Amino acid sequence: MQTFSIAHTVKDKYKTLFGTEPIVVRSPGRVNIIGEHTDYNEGFVLPAAIDKASYVAVGLRNDDRISLYAEEFGDSFESSLTTLAPTDRGWPNYILGVADQLQKSGHALKGFNMVLSGDVPIGAGLSSSASIECATGFALNELFGLSISRLELVKLAQRAEHLFAGVRVGIMDMFASAFGKQDHVIKLDCRSLDYEYVPLKMDGIKIVLFNSNVEHSLASSEYNMRRQQCEAGVALIKAHHPEVASLRDATMEMLHKYVEPADALVYKRCKYVVEEKERLLQGCEDLKRGDIKALGKKMFATHDGLSKEYEVSCEELDFLVDQVRNKEAVLGARMMGGGFGGCTINLVREDAVEDLIKETTTNYNQQMKLKLLSYIAQIEDGTSVLSI
Ligand code: GLA
């Protein structure tokens, strides 16, 4: 119902502002069951697209200008196609960055108008930025008849985020947004980009997201720093094992031998990643067997690693995970995404969801003095051009 209404909102707004019929594209946010901070280490991830999405309505202009309007902010932005550059206004960067990447890849663009809206909460770790980038890429691909493949659009969106948002993100968020499949998670090998759809067999269990409503400004600088620390670990191993190209190839033995004596902090970071790599592969088998209890235990272990070794959690996220840790009805929980705020993901028995939300909301509010938002995530298809 909501999908329907936001798609129509952007379409109607476009017609009001620009007077022609637009192309409308939907691109969802994502959850990630397990496999955090593994994508840029060429490991595996297990994300899925959700029922919260960004929507864009796009159409041609007769000049070389870009005119953008963001419904949520009631804000507009204009630029020339020939002078695309990041702006400190924030939201236009995700669109400008994609247009820039299309041009840099040799595609001739002309001026366009765009209206943006959506219901992916911003800064909640549900990849609102990737969903805007994918929506933009797919919409311009359609508008200019560029015939770019889904995978190329994903890679292009990732480069846009690097250059126009300044965060050296991995490929998970864009891939999940573009390749999502209803009721399935994607087991993605971030080295080869081979992927497999694994059915989400979780009878009687819901995916509950608790949005901490915290968005630390550290997120992008610390994210880039973690990447550097992983690269530093690889360099230390590579001196002895030239075949090791990323932490994907590293073993605990290598970490003990070459990284631990050289740099205690880098060792801690790399240890988390190497363990998480293994946890994901086993967690995926749990899911295939329908053993959600075993998968859930691994999610708690992931949280502890992210909090204590990778150090990308925060007080509020730790609080939310600790709240549910010993509850029989909660099979697994952890912070999700880049960290320093955003959501926790919880696997919760259906009959306990309502009470859990009530209780956690009250406790969070009392202890953290913050409002807790909660969502029950449905797993949906990835990016599509809508025929409305
Ligand atoms: C952010 C990034 C992803 C990934 C996660 C952590 O969401 O955009 O590429 O690295 O953090 O797993």
Side-chain angles (χ1 to χ4, degrees):
M1 189 59 207
Q2 189 139 35
T3 304
F4 191 69
S5 76
I6 304 179
H8 280 283
T9 306
V10 289
K11 185 176 180 182
D12 293 346
K13 188 76 190 183
Y14 186 95
K15 288 203 282 193
T16 311
L17 288 176
F18 304 111
T20 53
E21 279 289 325
I23 290 168
V24 179
V25 172
R26 167 191 182 274
S27 198
R30 61 104 189 88
V31 288
N32 184 26
I33 305 291
I34 196 163
E36 216 64 271
H37 287 274
T38 45
D39 58 355
Y40 54 83
N41 287 302
E42 298 192 322
F44 288 82
V45 288
L46 204 60
I50 57 171
D51 57 336
K52 295 195 174 293
S54 293
Y55 297 81
V56 298
V58 69
L60 287 173
R61 290 173 65 97
N62 296 323
D63 55 17
D64 75 346
R65 295 198 66 73
I66 298 181
S67 180
L68 310 175
Y69 180 77
E71 178 76 11
E72 261 67 57
F73 311 121
D75 192 23
S76 36
F77 185 86
E78 279 226 13
S79 166
S80 157
L81 259 180
T82 50
T83 56
L84 291 178
T87 151
D88 54 15
R89 294 265 293 282
W91 67 268
N93 285 326
Y94 304 112
I95 299 163
L96 303 179
V98 170
D100 179 58
Q101 279 303 318
L102 283 168
Q103 295 197 122
K104 288 199 170 117
S105 312
H107 299 288
L109 302 189
K110 296 195 186 102
F112 62 88
N113 302 311
M114 185 183 279
V115 172
L116 164 71
S117 188
D119 59 359
V120 188
I122 295 168
L126 300 177
S127 298
S128 57
S129 51
S131 70
I132 299 172
E133 288 152 354
C134 287
T136 303
F138 278 69
L140 297 180
N141 187 37
E142 186 76 13
L143 183 68
F144 296 113
L146 304 176
S147 307
I148 305 172
S149 72
R150 207 164 264 263
L151 183 59
E152 266 321 303
L153 288 169
V154 164
K155 291 182 181 170
L156 205 133
Q158 185 191 11
R159 292 198 299 271
E161 176 109 11
H162 288 192
L163 291 177
F164 273 60
V167 192
R168 292 176 62 210
V169 292
I171 203 164
M172 168 170 73
D173 302 350
M174 296 80 189
F175 199 99
S177 187
F179 283 85
K181 181 173 168 175
Q182 195 176 36
D183 298 329
H184 289 72
V185 292
I186 310 168
K187 182 184 176 192
L188 171 66
D189 178 338
C190 299
R191 167 171 275 174
S192 64
L193 299 185
D194 288 342
Y195 62 98
E196 181 192 345
Y197 289 116
V198 180
L200 197 57
K201 281 188 292 184
M202 297 207 304
D203 288 343
I205 292 165
K206 294 276 180 209
I207 298 178
V208 179
L209 304 173
F210 286 132
N211 184 350
S212 65
N213 258 310
V214 187
E215 197 187 344
H216 286 284
S217 55
L218 283 177
S220 51
S221 58
E222 286 291 324
Y223 185 94
N224 290 342
M225 174 91 81
R226 292 301 175 281
R227 272 198 85 146
Q228 275 172 22
Q229 289 166 334
C230 291
E231 285 159 11
V234 172
L236 287 167
I237 300 172
K238 216 181 169 68
H240 306 272
H241 291 276
E243 74 283 5
V244 170
S246 67
L247 285 181
R248 166 73 171 264
D249 305 316
T251 61
M252 279 309 291
E253 203 187 335
M254 291 173 181
L255 294 184
H256 281 310
K257 224 163 151 183
Y258 308 117
V259 185
E260 196 172 14
D263 191 325
L265 185 64
V266 166
Y267 169 75
K268 216 160 59 151
R269 306 294 192 238
C270 295
K271 173 177 178 284
Y272 160 76
V273 173
V274 169
E275 286 177 353
E276 179 72 352
K277 234 174 30 176
E278 198 45 45
R279 246 190 316 260
L280 178 136
L281 295 175
Q282 287 174 11
C284 213
E285 292 311 308
D286 295 340
L287 186 59
K288 285 180 184 166
R289 280 198 321 274
D291 189 349
I292 307 305
K293 222 173 173 174
L295 171 65
K297 272 199 176 143
K298 294 186 178 70
M299 291 169 70
F300 282 118
T302 293
H303 181 80
D304 295 339
L306 287 167
S307 175
K308 298 192 176 73
E309 294 173 334
Y310 217 60
E311 294 180 283
V312 291
S313 186
C314 59
E315 194 193 350
E316 294 84 354
L317 291 171
D318 288 347
F319 177 86
L320 287 171
V321 171
D322 286 341
Q323 279 290 301
V324 302
R325 204 182 275 276
N326 296 316
K327 291 210 181 318
E328 207 268 319
V330 182
L331 288 92
R334 62 179 195 81
M335 56 145 281
M336 190 177 68
F340 303 102
C343 288
T344 62
I345 176 170
N346 304 262
L347 305 185
V348 185
R349 288 195 206 290
E350 202 165 356
D351 53 8
V353 168
E354 209 178 302
D355 287 347
L356 183 82
I357 291 180
K358 262 195 214 141
E359 186 188 329
T360 316
T361 306
T362 309
N363 293 348
Y364 188 71
N365 182 256
Q366 274 172 4
Q367 302 283 321
M368 298 288 122
K369 307 279 175 263
L370 281 167
K371 199 169 160 204
L372 184 73
L373 297 174
S374 39
Y375 323 108
I376 296 173
Q378 311 287 344
I379 305 306
E380 296 286 350
D381 283 340
T383 319
S384 61
V385 178
L386 303 178
S387 36
I388 59 162

